[in-house]
Amino acid sequence: MTEDLILAIDNGTQSIRALAFNRQGELIDKAQVALDDYQHPQPGWMEHDVDAFYQALCRVCQQLWSQNRVQAKQIKAVVPTTQRATVINLDASGTPLRPAIIWPDQRLAEIRSRRPLVWRILFRLLGLKPTIDALEQACEINWIAQNEPEVWKHTAHFVLLSGYLNFKLTGELADSVGNQVGYIPFDYKAQDWCKDSDWKWSCMPVRRDQLPRLVQTGDELGRITQECSKETGIPLNTPVIAGAADKACEVLGSGCVDPSVGSISCGTTATINVTHHKYLEPRPFIPPYPAAMPGVFNLEVQIFRGFWMVNWLKNVFGLANTTTASPDESAIEHFLNSTKAGAEGLVLQPYWNPGLGEPGPEARGSIIGFTDTHTKAHIYRALIEGLAFGLREGKELLEKRGKQPLLYCRVAGGGSQSDGVMQILADVLNCPCERPSTYEASGLGAAILGAAALGMYPTMEAACQAMTGTGQRFEPNTTNALLYDGIYQQVYLQQYRQLKPLFQSLYDLFNRA
């Protein structure tokens, strides 16, 4: 007798994976197709052919069946989880009008504010005008409307990548509440589209009727259509469950549903998340994102260019055998094992990309403390330590906002495969760090939603408890933790603040009208 399985489809930045899980949370088999055909029409831009995402989904499903460990008839539910904030314009028939704009894209719109007077006054009084201006500039809707007016004129539906894949799977222009992360008019507290009176509508020209119908995370969103079944091999009428964004599913799949446990992702963007049932903004006007459970929030602090910087280091300094998605373990361990904690006084502050709030749009990265004894290995260690310092700063902010200390952290993502990275995180954070039971934490989080939806467990919490576990645990090294605390308090926390006036001067010099 064959067991029932849940198919998690994880469409990340580097690849798309089809993952078959059983009700115990065991990964029975997986297939993977690389996503390496991104386009960069101009420096800082990043796009991808829209239909190619769905074609990759079809290929990865067919690859899974061809491996003969999983039969398509075993699949009882499909749960997609995708990269966040990748946006797509569709016409009235659901046909893409232009390539998808991918989440790291850095193009900026002009500020053409239509904000109501009361909001303009309030933002100035609170000192938030620069943050709101930066948000309006970063909003892809504004850039498309300003620079491609014909595309915007014919845009009947504006969706995230998750919404597009849901449409291709089910024929429904619908998306999960748990996927709504981006520059869109979404009320993160109510976890619904903004009310008509909300200031966000005045910052972007999108209409409510252009946005997809929202479905609660974990509810049935639709069923596999005949066309999709033919192209993917997924059985006709299989339920498609409303999933959540990849980071939210990673938090759930890591078992981090208690506010005393931190969830760290060592991915392209490095993040630290804490799950709360109460709406708390990690920073003013920076909302918590929807968790992969209805009515629950993930407070998140992110380092936008996280373990992407491993690839940057490889390209700039010629460090072989390292990639963004899964750094070569032997290369990483060699660099870390050949250097001591503190990188002989080399300190990196990882603001390679500007942010909203603090750090602000003027932010740049920096490395200080060079001597003639430093090598590539020291630069690599300083990079990992700098990311860890940034995550510690995030940890302390989340602890302060939630009034709850984090007792330990669970760490997923490509960088977590390195024992050296895990030990540095434990030492810098000065708390135990452990891996989840599976490297495919995002996929497992999606499978948990599927298991609960199918009634395999009475609640999502029960499914999470039954299906998640832990791997290797790393305890802090007392000596290293003491050294790192000194570097963090006396150097790292001062670094951006001391350099900020210089960064502001550079910003002004290179952004003159």
Side-chain angles (χ1 to χ4, degrees), residues 9 23 75 245 273 392 501:
I9 297 174
R23 62 167 292 151
I75 302 301
N273 277 268
R392 172 169 169 173

Side-chain angles (χ1 to χ4, degrees), residues 43 115 211 225 402 461 491:
R115 301 169 207 159
L211 301 170
T225 65
E461 291 83 357
V491 181

Side-chain angles (χ1 to χ4, degrees), residues 69-103:
R69 293 194 61 197
V70 170
Q71 299 177 50
K73 66 181 181 180
Q74 293 178 263
I75 302 301
K76 302 305 175 186
V78 178
V79 192
T81 178
T82 70
Q83 55 180 272
R84 306 183 298 191
T86 287
V87 300
I88 294 170
N89 299 69
L90 304 175
D91 68 13
S93 68
T95 301
L97 290 166
R98 69 172 324 282
I101 298 180
I102 310 303
W103 63 269

Side-chain angles (χ1 to χ4, degrees), residues 40-357:
H40 304 272
Q42 292 191 31
W45 293 16
M46 188 172 180
E47 299 183 344
H48 195 281
D49 180 77
V50 175
D51 186 61
F53 279 122
Y54 177 65
Q55 295 306 318
L57 185 154
C58 295
R59 290 200 308 275
V60 80
C61 288
Q62 295 291 357
Q63 182 180 320
L64 183 67
W65 319 136
S66 70
Q67 292 167 185
N68 295 321
R69 293 194 61 197
V70 170
Q71 299 177 50
K73 66 181 181 180
Q74 293 178 263
I75 302 301
K76 302 305 175 186
V78 178
V79 192
T81 178
T82 70
Q83 55 180 272
R84 306 183 298 191
T86 287
V87 300
I88 294 170
N89 299 69
L90 304 175
D91 68 13
S93 68
T95 301
L97 290 166
R98 69 172 324 282
I101 298 180
I102 310 303
W103 63 269
D105 189 282
Q106 298 174 49
R107 73 189 76 192
L108 296 176
E110 295 178 13
I111 298 174
R112 300 177 181 176
S113 179
R114 298 176 290 112
R115 301 169 207 159
L117 178 62
V118 64
W119 285 108
R120 295 203 304 269
I121 294 172
L122 181 61
F123 290 150
R124 287 186 182 276
L125 289 175
L126 295 175
L128 289 170
K129 184 179 182 300
T131 298
I132 305 303
D133 284 350
L135 183 153
E136 187 172 330
Q137 286 181 294
C139 177
E140 299 90 351
I141 293 171
N142 290 331
W143 188 92
I144 295 169
Q146 292 171 14
N147 295 276
E148 298 177 353
E150 284 301 306
V151 169
W152 188 249
K153 177 182 177 181
H154 292 95
T155 298
H157 309 288
F158 187 79
V159 297
L160 301 176
L161 174 59
S162 51
Y164 178 72
L165 294 184
N166 287 331
F167 172 62
K168 297 297 287 186
L169 291 168
T170 68
E172 300 280 342
L173 278 161
D175 201 3
S176 171
V177 168
N179 285 317
Q180 303 314 303
V181 177
Y183 298 109
I184 49 178
F186 184 74
D187 184 331
Y188 289 92
K189 187 173 184 178
Q191 296 193 347
D192 199 354
W193 297 126
C194 291
K195 294 180 179 179
D196 292 343
S197 58
D198 196 287
W199 61 271
K200 291 178 185 175
W201 293 105
S202 67
C203 288
M204 57 192 80
V206 71
R207 305 184 310 273
R208 188 182 297 270
D209 63 273
Q210 291 174 292
L211 301 170
R213 173 175 61 91
L214 293 182
V215 178
Q216 192 58 260
T217 305
D219 286 353
E220 184 177 312
L221 187 145
R223 300 231 164 190
I224 295 294
T225 65
Q226 186 172 5
E227 182 178 3
C228 176
S229 178
K230 180 180 178 181
E231 293 170 337
T232 64
I234 303 171
L236 178 66
N237 288 326
T238 301
V240 176
I241 306 303
D246 53 3
K247 295 294 184 186
C249 281
E250 186 173 82
V251 174
L252 182 63
S254 297
C256 300
V257 295
D258 186 280
S260 66
V261 182
S263 174
I264 291 176
S265 176
C266 295
T268 305
T269 293
T271 61
I272 180 166
N273 277 268
V274 177
T275 301
H276 278 273
H277 286 263
K278 183 179 179 181
Y279 180 90
L280 296 169
E281 293 181 347
R283 293 189 175 98
F285 276 74
I286 304 298
Y289 298 137
M293 295 186 292
V296 182
F297 305 95
N298 285 153
L299 278 67
E300 177 177 298
V301 175
Q302 63 177 239
I303 302 171
F304 190 74
R305 289 300 196 184
F307 281 75
W308 166 90
M309 293 176 67
V310 173
N311 206 39
W312 173 83
L313 204 64
K314 177 194 74 173
N315 292 332
V316 173
F317 293 100
L319 302 183
N321 300 320
T322 56
T323 65
T324 304
S326 53
D328 180 84
E329 187 173 344
S330 62
I332 287 179
E333 300 311 317
H334 169 72
F335 288 131
L336 298 181
N337 291 335
S338 64
T339 53
K340 296 179 181 179
E344 301 292 343
L346 204 59
V347 183
L348 181 145
Q349 165 257 306
Y351 299 150
W352 258 236
N353 260 70
L356 296 175

Side-chain angles (χ1 to χ4, degrees), residues 247 250 262-274 283 299-307 309 348-351 359 382-400 406 408-413 415-416 421-422 424-431 433 488 492-493:
K247 295 294 184 186
E250 186 173 82
S263 174
I264 291 176
S265 176
C266 295
T268 305
T269 293
T271 61
I272 180 166
N273 277 268
V274 177
R283 293 189 175 98
L299 278 67
E300 177 177 298
V301 175
Q302 63 177 239
I303 302 171
F304 190 74
R305 289 300 196 184
F307 281 75
M309 293 176 67
L348 181 145
Q349 165 257 306
Y351 299 150
L383 186 157
I384 300 300
E385 290 175 346
L387 292 173
F389 288 138
L391 290 169
R392 172 169 169 173
E393 193 172 11
K395 172 179 176 287
E396 292 177 352
L397 175 63
L398 296 180
E399 289 174 326
K400 181 179 179 180
L406 299 185
Y408 61 95
C409 293
R410 288 187 180 155
V411 187
S416 69
V421 170
M422 292 293 295
I424 287 173
L425 285 170
D427 294 345
V428 170
L429 301 178
N430 198 19
C431 77
C433 290
Y488 176 73
Y492 180 84
L493 288 179

